Amino acid sequence: MTSFTSHSADLAEHTAFPWLADGLAYGGDYSPEQWPEAVWAEDVALMQRAGVNLVNLGVFSWGLVEVADGEFDWGWLDRIMDLLHDGGIGVNLATPTAAPPTWLLQAHPEIATVDAEGRRTAQGGRLAWSPSSATFRRYALRMVRALAERYGDHPALRMWHVSNELGNENGRCYGEETAVAWREWLTAKYGEVAAMNDAWGSAFWGHRYTSFAQVELPRHNRTQHNPGLLLDFERFTSDALLGHYLAERAVLREVTPAIPVTTNFMVQANPGVADYARWAEEVDLVANDHYTIGADPHREADLAFCADRSRGMAGGRPWLLIEHSTAAVNWQPVNRAKAPGEMARNTLAHIARGADGAMFFQWRQSTAGSEQFHSAMVPHAGADSQVYRDVVALGATLRALAPVVGSRVERAQVAMLLDHDAAAAWASGPKPSSLVTAVDLPRAVHRALTELGIAVDVLRPGDALDGYRALVVPTLFLATDATADAVRDFAASGGHVLVTYLSGIVDETNRVRAGGYPGAFCDLLGVRVDEFFPLFAGDTVALDDGSTGSLWSERVEVSDGTEVLARLAEGDLAGTPAVTRRATGAGSATYLATRLDHPGLVALVRAFAAYTGVTAVATVDGPGMEVVRRVHDDGRSFLFAINHAASDRTVAANGRDLTDGTATEGRLVVPAGAVRVIEEDPR
Ligand code: GLA
């Protein structure tokens, strides 16, 4: 059986676990507790027909297992675990801590989070608890231990799914118990209050603290809090949530050391409350949730970006798409169903980008409860429905793709740096433009690269950069000295760097690097900016190479030896450099000083690739086609071609279609909306 290797920091040596399924994992969140037991046998039969081999079970079931304080009713969970096992379906068993039982919230209302205005979360939802609540922790760990002792040896158990989307509805707590934990966190970080004052620049507005006890949480205030404090509060929040995960994991490791542990990430949240690239060091398998935004015309580009981020967090190892949707969600303003073929394209795009399984929220569509209109694998209409037929067809496709399990996405020639701290720093306190978001440009550059068939590995500052030909540093607002050094060394050793506006502006304390922007990268780039000129919504600025910028411009001066590739052609800054390049020995450092539109970014990336020698994964004949290659250590390789366009596309390929065995020589036509996976002839 295939195995996967945990890279979790608590395991002294990398540890191998059996892969979760026979082939790619396929299934969804399963909440049998919503249904009479008579439905369960039909569920298992429908799962088998669809090729489901794994479910996330028990995610929100605490109140139905621990029915009163210390009183457990395991009956229904015993029966469904056995039924699933008998049906050949494995279980990611969730610790049910995402939804505290009513009796617990009634007995201990103080476990609930408090928002910045001081309002305590009421019962009636989920994830109401504060990760800093000692009482909650005590109850949660008792539940986790009882669950692990009960099912640790159950043959259906494949993995522990800790809680659910930690921080989704319980991030950023502002309660008193959290304030105590916050001060402890600050004391541990700074040791001396003077160091904290220095880091935050608390002399401004005379905020000087004389003890850690004086520091409050950044609660509602009519003016703005200190950006250094805000950034630390984001780090504290991420650590507090991770601390809860680690506490649950410690119990699970103790009781069931051979069972892998994970928790589902939401890497799409930008910036969210969790520093997932850091959390990834603590999970045995990176597992991500991704939901397309129906109103986003480029939702497949967001999906590709998030999938590449998940792979980066997994260190290039296989990861698991643990939730996505078959059709509509229920939390967007208008919940659009997916177009014919869209679900399969979504699923297979995640697989292409390194997921070794794909799961949905949820198996059977609820008829009651607050997610009653969220799609599922078996919709309200039942098995006689297009969605279920598509789910069955997708299951068959995934079975045919079993040979890709354990392969890795071919190492990209281009790396991109993305960082939670940098995004959190940009979001902290007033900034030159509220129209600029930390992830806008990274995602846009990723989309331009994808359109050209160029693969990119999305990394975190500090990850090894050897072996990459090019590095993109897009709006990386915060750069530590170590990051600045790493980027400079990369360029000095022959790498090609593309840095954009709003990179390297502040250091790790969120203090501006004085002396000209982009402080951390001025010398490398041979540019210096003395003032920002952000643009109003809807305004654009023409460049003299025919491209168009929006959102951002700035007064750029170049040093001797820096070549100007394009200038602003209009407005107050007409004639100012907008794209520059400086040679760094065998490498180069390019600077982009405005937010180019999509055609402009494609043109920039195309020129950058030509200059640096970066090549495409495979040659495609038009936009809308994603091409990704996965490779095994033994050299077997698979080319995924996903055609999002409304017309046919072709890609250069030689090999055999994994789903139907058809041979391809030289040129593969992928019909509009279709996906092809080719096991390639030896290259
Ligand atoms: C998240 C949660 C699920 C469900 C879905 C709905 O991903 O983890 O429990 O609420 O959202 O899209």
Side-chain angles (χ1 to χ4, degrees), residues 29 60 126 164-165 168 264 289 291 323 329-331 361 371 374:
D29 273 32
F60 300 104
R126 61 177 182 181
N164 192 69
E165 291 188 342
N168 184 358
N264 47 342
D289 298 349
Y291 290 93
E323 282 184 33
V329 298
N330 69 335
W331 43 263
F361 179 86
E371 296 189 293
H374 193 293

Side-chain angles (χ1 to χ4, degrees), residues 360-649:
F360 293 98
F361 179 86
Q362 61 178 325
W363 164 250
R364 189 185 276 276
Q365 189 170 22
S366 303
T367 51
S370 65
E371 296 189 293
Q372 60 187 166
F373 291 106
H374 193 293
S375 64
M377 299 170 83
V378 181
H380 289 153
D384 182 9
S385 59
Q386 191 60 46
V387 166
Y388 179 71
R389 282 188 283 277
D390 288 348
V391 161
V392 172
L394 180 60
T397 302
L398 294 179
R399 265 199 305 283
L401 300 191
V404 307
V405 172
S407 62
R408 294 186 178 203
V409 173
E410 185 179 47
R411 189 191 166 90
Q413 298 168 13
V414 182
M416 175 187 286
L417 295 184
L418 211 72
D419 181 41
H420 177 263
D421 274 4
W426 175 252
S428 64
K431 292 291 182 291
S433 170
S434 60
L435 300 179
V436 177
T437 62
V439 86
D440 164 62
L441 188 68
R443 188 165 44 199
V445 173
H446 186 277
R447 181 175 161 225
L449 286 161
T450 300
E451 183 162 317
L452 295 174
I454 297 172
V456 50
D457 288 342
V458 184
L459 306 180
R460 163 197 197 204
D463 286 346
L465 298 173
D466 344 272
Y468 289 103
R469 184 176 284 270
L471 175 66
V472 184
V473 184
T475 56
L476 189 77
F477 182 65
L478 179 157
T480 64
D481 292 350
T483 301
D485 290 348
V487 174
R488 195 195 49 230
D489 292 350
F490 178 79
S493 60
H496 299 277
V497 179
L498 169 60
V499 179
T500 79
Y501 61 93
L502 283 177
S503 296
I505 306 297
V506 300
D507 66 13
E508 59 265 46
T509 67
N510 216 354
R511 184 186 282 268
V512 171
R513 292 175 175 278
Y517 315 120
F521 302 114
C522 284
D523 293 345
L524 168 66
L525 297 161
V527 301
R528 183 168 175 274
V529 173
D530 74 345
E531 191 159 23
F532 296 143
F533 289 74
L535 304 184
F536 290 115
D539 285 356
T540 57
V541 59
L543 276 64
D544 64 6
D545 65 355
S547 56
T548 305
S550 65
L551 291 174
W552 197 258
S553 64
E554 51 189 22
R555 187 159 50 215
V556 180
E557 290 165 13
V558 295
S559 345
D560 288 350
T562 302
E563 197 183 342
V564 177
L565 303 180
R567 294 178 186 271
L568 299 182
E570 59 181 348
D572 293 344
L573 297 182
T576 300
V579 184
T580 69
R581 184 168 63 211
R582 195 174 82 84
T584 56
S588 67
T590 298
Y591 185 59
L592 170 65
T594 184
R595 168 59 161 97
L596 293 177
D597 60 10
H598 180 65
L601 280 175
V602 170
L604 178 87
V605 166
R606 185 180 277 121
F608 181 72
Y611 178 78
T612 59
V614 164
T615 52
V617 169
T619 311
V620 297
D621 68 345
M625 176 101 123
E626 259 185 80
V627 282
V628 187
R629 179 174 287 114
R630 290 186 60 159
V631 292
H632 277 294
D633 289 345
D634 64 10
R636 280 176 302 141
S637 69
F638 308 94
L639 185 70
F640 285 72
I642 304 161
N643 185 0
H644 301 279
S647 51
D648 296 359
R649 290 277 181 272

Side-chain angles (χ1 to χ4, degrees), residues 199-280:
W200 291 356
S202 63
F204 187 76
W205 285 348
H207 286 170
R208 187 73 76 208
Y209 299 96
T210 56
S211 75
F212 288 107
Q214 290 180 327
V215 185
E216 291 288 350
L217 293 162
R219 294 178 173 126
H220 173 69
N221 193 314
R222 288 190 184 202
T223 53
Q224 297 285 348
H225 285 285
N226 177 301
L229 180 153
L230 289 172
L231 176 57
D232 271 343
F233 181 60
E234 293 300 302
R235 291 167 167 148
F236 158 77
T237 296
S238 178
D239 284 357
L241 291 160
L242 179 64
H244 181 83
Y245 165 81
L246 293 175
E248 287 203 23
R249 190 189 67 182
V251 173
L252 296 168
R253 284 268 198 264
E254 182 194 326
V255 183
T256 58
I259 304 294
V261 184
T262 195
T263 188
N264 47 342
F265 291 179
M266 305 168 282
V267 306
Q268 196 172 17
N270 295 302
V273 290
D275 182 354
Y276 287 126
R278 154 83 188 95
W279 289 32

